[in-house]
């Protein structure tokens, strides 16, 4: 998936710059390599970007392409996100061994996911399900399902669609059941500040304004709550271009679904909506959830 995304940006850059001289430098990160433990236990989202940032610092690469949901909420001081591409489907997808949706899974079914966010929302919807950690690339995860390790798995719909695996999706899970992660479905281009690509017109033209405004508000909520893979947080924003309004939703809970805090607000002013959602979550006990999860 990472290579697909890099090659997709390569194609866009070559088309926009009218050149064929854009090369992909494939790098492996710790997040790709350590597959026997959950991200929450080995350091979180930064494991997918550190090696790429180091390559830029050493001059080996001019930019890095990321799944935005894998990018830490606070970047190192020398870097910035130069463009956010148009968002693909942000929803989670259910792929079943036999069951065609979450509702028809048998009692006590085994469901694989690498996400604490998905885990708590699955538990809220189906408390009987047995949630089992699942890491690896998409092919690895699908093979484990096909081999019978799980009754079903939950993945990001965007990745499946980008790799031409949409036919494997049994159910696109409603955002009312599984609210996405901050930035889910969006791709980001990261560059060094004050480099030749900082504010480069080609990258500026790749930026999708609506997606940018949505995901930056999501990331602002996640940053305020100290979110990483260790915090089971769901946050999703939709901008209504006709009404010029933002709708912002957020949920946080313990991985088993207990101590749920949730908030939803709409309006024209993103600062006001952000404050209302955060205040609402804190009033419901979000700080206590964050402390409890961090202490596990």
């Amino acid at each position: 998936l990472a290579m697909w995304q890099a090659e997709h940006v390569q194609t866009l850059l070559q088309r926009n710059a009218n050149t064929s001289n854009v090369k992909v430098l494939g790098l492996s990160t710790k997040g790709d390599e350590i597959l026997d433990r959950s991200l929450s236990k080995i350091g979180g989202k930064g494991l997918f970007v550190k090696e790429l940032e180091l390559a830029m610092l050493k001059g080996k690469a001019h930019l890095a392409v990321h799944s935005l949901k894998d990018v830490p909420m606070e970047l190192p001081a020398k870097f910035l996100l130069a463009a956010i591409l148009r968002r693909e489907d942000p929803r989670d997808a259910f792929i079943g061994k036999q069951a065609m949706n979450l509702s028809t899974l048998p009692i006590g079914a085994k469901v694989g996911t690498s996400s604490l966010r998905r885990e708590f929302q699955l538990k809220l919807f189906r408390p009987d399900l047995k949630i089992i950690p699942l890491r690896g690339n998409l092919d690895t995860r699908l093979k484990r399902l096909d081999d019978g390790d799980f009754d079903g798995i939950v993945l990001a719909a965007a990745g499946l669609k980008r790799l031409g695996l949409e036919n494997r999706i049994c159910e696109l899970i409603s955002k009312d059941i599984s609210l996405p992660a901050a930035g889910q479905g969006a791709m980001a281009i990261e560059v060094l500040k004050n480099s030749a690509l900082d504010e480069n017109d080609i990258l500026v033209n790749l930026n999708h304004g609506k997606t940018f405004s949505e995901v930056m508000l999501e990331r602002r909520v996640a940053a305020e709550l100290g979110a990483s893979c260790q915090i089971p947080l769901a946050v999703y924003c939709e901008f209504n271009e006709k009404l010029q309004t933002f709708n912002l939703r957020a949920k946080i809970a313990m991985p088993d679904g207990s101590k749920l805090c949730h908030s939803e607000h709409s309006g024209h002013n993103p600062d006001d909506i952000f404050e209302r959602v955060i205040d609402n979550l804190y009033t419901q006990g979000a700080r206590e959830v964050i402390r409890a999860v961090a202490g596990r």
Side-chain angles (χ1 to χ4, degrees):
L1 179 60
M3 287 302 292
W4 183 98
Q5 293 180 163
E7 289 166 359
H8 178 68
V9 170
Q10 177 190 35
T11 300
L12 293 175
L13 288 172
Q14 290 180 159
R15 184 186 305 153
N16 281 270
N18 195 26
T19 178
S20 59
N21 192 27
V22 180
K23 293 181 172 60
V24 173
L25 173 66
L27 294 174
S28 180
T29 70
K30 283 190 173 65
D32 301 312
E33 295 162 2
I34 304 173
L35 300 178
D36 60 344
R37 284 162 285 167
S38 66
L39 282 177
S40 62
K41 291 183 171 63
I42 60 174
K45 296 175 183 297
L47 293 176
F48 286 107
V49 302
K50 286 179 181 175
E51 285 85 353
L52 281 65
E53 290 173 342
L54 187 59
M56 287 190 281
L57 285 171
K58 290 182 175 179
K60 294 180 179 179
H62 297 102
L63 58 87
V65 179
H66 307 295
S67 292
L68 184 59
K69 71 183 180 72
D70 292 334
V71 178
M73 299 308 153
E74 293 185 10
L75 294 178
K78 293 182 179 180
F79 298 92
L80 60 83
L81 297 179
I84 307 294
L85 277 59
R86 181 190 291 271
R87 197 176 210 165
E88 177 53 274
D89 191 331
R91 289 174 291 182
D92 286 327
F94 171 75
I95 302 95
K97 178 73 173 170
Q98 292 181 313
M100 294 306 294
N101 53 55
L102 290 172
S103 297
T104 55
L105 280 167
I107 298 295
K110 295 181 293 184
V111 176
T113 175
S114 60
S115 162
L116 296 178
R117 171 191 61 83
R118 291 182 181 128
E119 181 175 349
F120 91 75
Q121 294 187 97
L122 289 169
K123 282 291 190 181
L124 286 169
F125 183 66
R126 286 282 304 270
D128 61 286
L129 296 177
K130 185 176 181 182
I131 310 300
I132 301 173
L134 173 63
R135 296 279 319 284
N137 62 32
L138 286 180
D139 287 342
T140 299
R141 298 186 199 195
L142 290 168
K143 185 177 186 302
R144 289 193 63 190
L145 172 70
D146 295 338
D147 288 347
D149 292 350
F150 306 95
D151 298 298
I153 60 177
V154 179
L155 304 170
L160 291 161
K161 291 184 175 186
R162 285 174 176 143
L163 289 182
L165 296 169
E166 190 170 3
N167 64 316
R168 293 299 306 263
I169 298 173
C170 297
E171 176 188 22
L172 288 167
I173 305 171
S174 165
K175 291 190 282 285
D176 293 330
I177 294 172
S178 188
L179 196 67
Q184 185 161 317
M187 290 165 52
I189 298 175
E190 183 183 18
V191 301
L192 277 167
K193 285 181 182 174
N194 303 316
S195 68
L197 290 175
D198 183 351
E199 299 184 7
N200 184 284
D201 285 346
I202 296 168
L203 294 187
V204 169
N205 290 338
L206 293 184
N207 189 63
H208 187 249
K210 178 177 182 291
T211 298
F212 186 89
S213 63
E214 292 170 343
V215 299
M216 287 305 168
L217 191 51
E218 295 168 9
R219 286 173 61 81
R220 188 176 169 190
V221 172
E224 167 67 26
L225 296 172
S228 65
C229 286
Q230 288 95 329
I231 304 295
L233 172 70
V235 53
Y236 180 67
C237 177
E238 287 183 278
F239 179 67
N240 186 314
E241 291 181 289
K242 184 177 180 180
L243 299 176
Q244 293 290 296
T245 56
F246 294 87
N247 177 260
L248 180 63
R249 288 189 272 174
K251 294 180 185 177
I252 187 169
M254 296 297 291
D256 64 1
S258 63
K259 300 182 180 178
L260 173 67
C261 309
H262 59 92
S263 181
E264 178 175 359
H265 287 283
S266 299
H268 297 281
N269 186 326
D271 294 333
D272 178 58
I273 296 160
F274 166 79
E275 294 291 347
R276 283 190 283 160
V277 165
I278 290 296
D279 289 347
N280 204 203
L281 292 175
Y282 282 155
T283 299
Q284 294 175 47
R287 288 189 181 90
E288 289 73 20
V289 173
I290 293 166
R291 281 197 291 267
V293 172
R296 290 168 82 238

